Amino acid sequence: MNNKHTTPRVGFVSLGCPKATVDSEHILTRLRAEGYLISASYQDSDLVIVNTCGFIDSAVAESLDAIGEALAENGKVIVTGCLGAKGDVVWQAHPKVLAVTGPHATDEVMAVVHQHLPQPHDPYTDLVPAQGIRLTPKHFAYVKISEGCNHRCTFCIIPSLRGDLVSRPVGDVMQEAESLVKSGAKELLVISQDTSAYGVDVKYRTGFWGGRPLKTRMTELAAVLGELGKPGEGGVWVRLHYVYPYPHVDEVIPLMAEGKILPYLDIPFQHANQRILKLMKRPGSSDDVLARIQKWRKACPELTLRSTFIVGFPGETEEEFEELLDFIEAAQLDRVGAFAYSPVEGAAANELPDPVPPEVQQERLARLMLLQEEISTERLKRKIGKTITVLVEEVDEDGAIARSSADAPEIDGVVYIDNGQGLQVGEFAEVTVVDSDAHDLWAELA
Ligand code: SF4
C-alpha cells in the first residue's frame, strides 16, 4: 500500500461477463465522480476492488486467486460481484478482505471505500465525462437494462446469485444510451439476464424520456433506441442479446426488417427435445421454434440468429441428442455456442438422475460443433460478392479488422479488410465480401 498520495487511488480488477463489466463501469464512474484516481498497479493503489465471477467452478477459482494476489500485493481489498453473493466462500478463503458484497452493489462498495479511504475534499466531478467510465472501446458499449431473472432454469444459479428481475427505469436507460452515443458509441449492445422480460416486474410501467411517454418494454425500448440514428448517418447500431424465447420476441423482427435495429437476435434455445427442455425448465418445442424461425427469416431475410445449446444434460439419451442435431440441421442458425453440461454448485439440475459420462458429452459436443461448422461455412459462403456495412475495430499496416451486423464483439466472427489501412477505428465502412471460412469473412473496400 502507498500512503504518499494526496489524492486517494483505487486499483480495480474486473472479472466475469459483460454484466459484471457494466457493474465495474458503474463503480469506476462513481469513484472518479467523487475524486478518486484509478490506479493501474497494486503498489500504487491505496486499496483494491476485485469484481468477481461465481458462475462456474473455474471462474470461482480464478476469482479467489485474484483476491489472494490483491491481498498479497496490496493488503486492502474489497470484494464485489457474483462470487461475493456467496460471501462465505470468500471469507473462508480470504478472511483478511475488508468487505464482501454481491453484484450490482455500487452503493455498498462506495460505503466501504468511504470507510477505509476517506473521500477527497475537492471532488472534481466535472472531470467525469457525461457517459461515465467505460471499459469497452469508445465505439461500442454495453447497456444493461435489468438485473436478475424470474426464470428458474435448472442448470443456472444466476437467480439465486442476482435475485428476481429488476428493470431499470426506461428513462434512465435512454438517457444513458443517448449520452453514450453523444460520446462516440457507434454500437449499443443491450444486455441483461433476460432482455425480453424487460419491464415485467414493473408491469410495463410508462416512463418518460425527454418528456415523451415510453413503456418499460423490450419492443418499445428497441424502437426508440433505433431512433438514435442509422448507420452511416452518425447513428448507432443496436444489438439485442440474451433474448429469452418468449412469443413477443416476434414483435422486434419488423424493427430489424425496417433497419431500425440490427437484424441480429441472440436467443438461447438450449435444446430441442421436449423432455430435456422440461427438465431444464425451458420453454418451446422444436416444431414451434422452427416455424417461428421460418417466419422471422421471411419477414427479415438479413436476420442473423445466434443461439446456445447444452449437450449431455443429465438423462439426455442418444435419441434425444440426435433430435437436437436434426433441429440444428433444420434451423440453419448462423452462430451457435455449445457447452457440455457441467454441474454448478447449487443448481437444481445436479439432483437429476442419469448423468451423461464426460466422454459421451465430449463426443456429442464435437458432433454438434462439426455439424454447425458445416452450416456456418455454407451460410458465410453465400455472402461472397455482397456489399455490407462494417464497423472498424482495428487498423494496422496489414489492413483492418471490422465487424458486420452479424458479428457481436468477442463472441462472433470478424471481417478482415486487406486494403483497409486508411480506415479509422470506430468508423463505418462499406466493403465487398471476397472470401469466407467457417467463422470469418474477408472483404475489400467497396
Ligand atoms: S433465463 Fe438465463 S439467467 Fe434466467 S435462470 Fe435461465 S439461464 Fe439463468
Side-chain angles (χ1 to χ4, degrees):
M1 195 186 87
N2 193 324
N3 288 321
K4 65 180 184 290
H5 306 300
T6 48
T7 307
R9 286 163 193 250
V10 178
F12 207 99
V13 179
S14 184
L15 305 168
C17 66
K19 288 154 249 179
T21 304
V22 172
D23 284 354
S24 294
E25 289 170 353
H26 288 165
I27 297 169
L28 287 166
T29 301
R30 279 279 292 279
L31 285 167
R32 288 300 310 274
E34 294 187 11
Y36 292 91
L37 289 179
I38 311 302
S39 167
S41 78
Y42 291 125
Q43 284 72 27
D44 202 33
S45 304
D46 297 303
L47 69 75
V48 177
I49 299 171
V50 182
N51 188 5
T52 57
C53 175
F55 187 44
I56 52 171
D57 292 349
S58 61
V60 171
E62 188 193 2
S63 294
L64 289 175
D65 284 354
I67 297 165
E69 187 180 294
L71 274 173
E73 298 287 329
N74 181 280
K76 281 180 126 181
V77 177
I78 299 171
V79 177
T80 183
C82 280
L83 182 61
K86 307 177 182 171
D88 283 354
V89 178
V90 179
W91 286 117
Q92 269 162 21
H94 298 298
K96 289 200 173 137
V97 296
L98 298 176
V100 179
T101 83
H104 202 48
T106 307
D107 289 343
E108 278 170 82
V109 171
M110 290 310 297
V112 187
V113 172
H114 295 154
Q115 194 186 336
H116 292 275
L117 191 63
Q119 205 169 343
H121 283 307
D122 179 21
Y124 23 107
T125 313
D126 295 347
L127 287 186
V128 178
Q131 79 282 9
I133 309 297
R134 289 193 280 134
L135 298 177
T136 48
K138 203 169 146 208
H139 59 276
F140 71 84
Y142 295 99
V143 179
K144 183 154 74 171
I145 59 170
S146 62
E147 185 57 59
C149 182
N150 288 346
H151 297 286
R152 295 294 181 262
C153 303
T154 54
F155 52 81
C156 178
I157 53 165
I158 282 175
S160 65
L161 290 179
R162 297 199 165 216
D164 281 343
L165 178 80
V166 179
S167 300
R168 287 181 62 201
V170 69
D172 289 6
V173 172
M174 283 310 296
Q175 217 165 24
E176 179 180 330
E178 209 180 6
S179 104
L180 286 164
V181 172
K182 275 192 190 139
S183 70
K186 297 286 176 55
E187 176 175 0
L188 301 176
L189 299 110
V190 177
I191 58 165
S192 67
Q193 258 84 41
D194 179 4
T195 296
S196 35
Y198 181 56
V200 166
D201 54 320
V202 293
K203 303 196 170 52
Y204 305 120
R205 180 170 57 208
T206 299
F208 288 90
W209 172 54
R212 163 181 170 186
L214 190 57
K215 264 193 166 181
T216 311
R217 200 162 172 276
M218 176 179 68
T219 312
E220 281 78 354
L221 175 68
V224 283
L225 283 172
E227 283 174 21
L228 292 175
K230 280 192 183 149
E233 295 171 12
V236 66
W237 278 0
V238 177
R239 195 184 292 278
L240 300 182
H241 282 288
Y242 312 117
V243 177
Y244 190 88
Y246 287 108
H248 71 264
V249 172
D250 299 6
E251 294 172 14
V252 290
I253 305 294
L255 298 176
M256 298 180 179
E258 288 163 25
K260 287 197 171 151
I261 62 174
L262 286 181
Y264 181 99
L265 200 54
D266 173 11
I267 183 159
F269 295 126
Q270 308 299 10
H271 211 282
N273 172 268
Q274 197 65 55
R275 191 185 76 89
I276 298 290
L277 284 168
K278 218 166 155 205
L279 287 176
M280 290 177 166
K281 286 207 178 156
R282 299 281 304 186
S285 77
S286 55
D287 287 349
D288 286 358
V289 172
L290 282 175
R292 286 176 79 194
I293 290 176
Q294 271 172 12
K295 225 171 82 190
W296 295 341
R297 287 210 167 117
K298 204 164 162 221
C300 181
E302 296 304 311
L303 180 64
T304 296
L305 282 170
R306 153 169 273 279
S307 193
T308 46
F309 296 91
I310 296 174
V311 301
F313 193 75
E316 183 194 61
T317 63
E318 172 63 24
E319 248 181 6
E320 287 163 340
F321 172 68
E322 282 173 14
E323 196 180 323
L324 172 57
L325 288 186
D326 290 345
F327 171 81
I328 299 269
E329 177 79 56
Q332 295 281 304
L333 302 170
D334 299 273
R335 312 283 190 191
V336 164
F339 307 91
Y341 171 78
S342 89
V344 178
E345 204 191 313
N350 300 351
E351 311 304 321
L352 292 171
D354 307 320
V356 177
E359 61 281 6
V360 178
Q361 285 188 320
Q362 289 309 320
E363 184 249 355
R364 288 180 187 171
L365 181 62
R367 280 160 69 198
L368 188 149
M369 290 318 285
L370 191 67
L371 171 61
Q372 180 56 34
E373 212 169 288
E374 285 167 19
I375 294 170
S376 174
T377 305
E378 267 313 302
R379 292 187 70 78
L380 289 178
K381 216 181 256 174
R382 286 187 222 155
K383 299 194 178 192
I384 295 176
K386 291 197 174 155
T387 297
I388 55 172
T389 306
V390 294
L391 180 57
V392 178
E393 286 288 321
E394 276 176 56
V395 181
D396 64 19
E397 66 274 10
D398 295 327
I401 300 179
R403 290 184 293 107
S404 71
S405 68
D407 311 308
E410 289 174 26
I411 50 174
D412 294 325
V414 293
V415 182
Y416 295 98
I417 310 163
D418 288 347
N419 63 346
Q421 288 83 350
L423 293 167
Q424 301 284 323
V425 171
E427 76 168 310
F428 289 115
E430 298 293 306
V431 297
T432 303
V433 181
V434 294
D435 203 358
S436 65
D437 66 10
H439 306 284
D440 303 318
L441 296 175
W442 281 258
E444 281 170 2
L445 276 176

